[in-house]
Amino acid sequence: MGETVITSENLHLYYGEKEALKGITLSIQQGEITALIGPSGCGKSTFLRALNRMNDLIPDVTTTGNVLYKGQDIYGPKIDTVDLRKEIGMVFQQPNPFPFSIYENITYGLKLKGVKEKAKLDQIVEESLKAASVWEDVKDKLHKSALSLSGGQQQRVCIARVLAVDPNIILLDEPTSALDPISSGKIENTLVDLKEKYTMIMVTHNMSQASRISDKTAFFLSGDLIEYNQTKEIFLNPSKKETEDYISGRFG
């Protein structure tokens, strides 16, 4: 059992009057991949974004409860959300490289942190792209636009961009849903390799992906956390009927 790295306690979130999260209490362990599954609109992406306050960017959102990270409530008044999002990075569903060169994509966050030395930047660019399993594809075109890459390569550059600022936790919102099966497989392999160093929380609609690469799985339904357990247990021996129905394809 790894050390707990982030915990939500009775987390409620409202979009205007609509309650999207209904008191979620969930602890995530260091060095694991946790999959969040459930039908569309069940709250899993909202929960993911609550873990680094990305929902703050949406108008008329109210959040109550706590999210504890490093012993502090991230919703506390003294939290700097820019610093928080460096430690809890995010990879989105659609690859979203900046319209710059591959090199500038990777160094963007480092320059914001004040890293200016070229040798250091070069080293981190290479290390991050290698860790994201895309270095061999792009090492000869670092100064070309990241938008010239294939979708799968763009997504791996986006993962490298998150890795460059040395986060603790990586949030992934359906990171392979816009990609073909071969690119998806490469990203899955990359994520499994990365978990030695990072804790990852991933929203996925792909049941086989969740069962292949995650250590634990949380099943959400209508804003409630129905069940959270080792992935093997969730898929082979769910304790709740709703979980079993969803996994076997009876609804969702």
Side-chain angles (χ1 to χ4, degrees):
M1 179 80 167
E3 182 189 343
T4 296
V5 65
I6 191 166
T7 300
S8 70
E9 297 179 335
N10 198 27
L11 186 68
H12 291 260
L13 184 139
Y14 300 84
Y15 294 117
E17 300 286 304
K18 182 182 184 301
E19 188 176 20
L21 295 177
K22 301 173 181 173
I24 307 297
T25 297
L26 181 60
S27 291
I28 305 285
Q29 267 64 50
Q30 180 78 38
E32 291 189 340
I33 298 178
T34 301
L36 310 180
I37 64 168
S40 295
C42 68
K44 54 194 187 298
S45 288
T46 299
F47 177 72
L48 190 77
R49 288 159 179 262
L51 299 178
N52 71 348
R53 292 187 52 173
M54 287 293 282
N55 295 315
D56 291 19
L57 307 172
I58 301 167
D60 211 18
V61 162
T62 312
T63 307
T64 65
N66 309 84
V67 175
L68 299 177
Y69 172 66
K70 292 189 169 174
Q72 278 189 300
D73 179 10
I74 68 166
Y75 285 89
K78 293 182 180 158
I79 294 296
D80 180 327
T81 53
V82 174
D83 288 343
L84 176 73
R85 290 178 195 141
K86 284 179 192 149
E87 294 205 24
I88 306 177
M90 186 131 193
V91 176
F92 296 91
Q93 182 172 359
Q94 294 289 341
N96 64 337
F98 302 135
F100 316 142
S101 72
I102 295 162
Y103 186 92
E104 288 170 310
N105 263 273
I106 308 303
T107 56
Y108 183 81
L110 294 165
K111 288 175 176 171
L112 289 180
K113 280 172 93 171
V115 182
K116 294 193 177 76
E117 193 192 327
K118 186 171 185 315
K120 178 82 174 156
L121 292 170
D122 288 351
Q123 180 193 351
I124 294 173
V125 166
E126 182 171 342
E127 285 171 358
S128 304
L129 289 166
K130 278 181 173 167
S133 312
V134 73
W135 171 251
E136 290 301 322
D137 297 0
V138 303
K139 64 184 180 189
D140 299 325
K141 40 188 171 188
L142 293 178
H143 298 288
K144 294 205 168 123
S145 169
L147 299 174
S148 66
L149 299 172
S150 72
Q153 290 168 334
Q154 286 186 24
Q155 191 65 302
R156 281 181 281 152
V157 165
C158 292
I159 292 171
R161 187 175 68 197
V162 169
L163 298 180
V165 294
D166 199 24
N168 217 353
I169 300 174
I170 303 172
L171 309 177
L172 302 122
D173 194 357
E174 296 194 55
T176 62
S177 68
L179 305 177
D180 64 84
I182 291 173
S183 300
S184 297
K186 286 180 179 170
I187 294 214
E188 285 183 20
N189 292 339
T190 299
L191 298 181
V192 171
D193 290 343
L194 289 174
K195 83 175 182 178
E196 284 182 25
K197 192 170 173 199
Y198 305 95
T199 301
M200 286 171 279
I201 307 161
M202 176 177 74
V203 168
T204 180
H205 273 290
N206 183 330
M207 294 298 103
S208 54
Q209 181 177 71
S211 65
R212 271 196 303 272
I213 70 169
S214 69
D215 300 283
K216 291 206 178 83
T217 296
F219 172 54
F220 283 75
L221 186 61
S222 306
D224 285 307
L225 174 61
I226 304 297
E227 189 168 351
Y228 176 49
N229 205 338
Q230 299 289 340
T231 294
K232 208 154 115 185
E233 287 296 307
I234 291 279
F235 280 89
L236 297 178
N237 191 22
S239 63
K240 297 284 190 347
K241 182 165 189 320
E242 298 99 315
T243 314
E244 187 180 348
D245 286 351
Y246 180 70
I247 285 167
S248 63
R250 285 185 206 129
F251 74 89

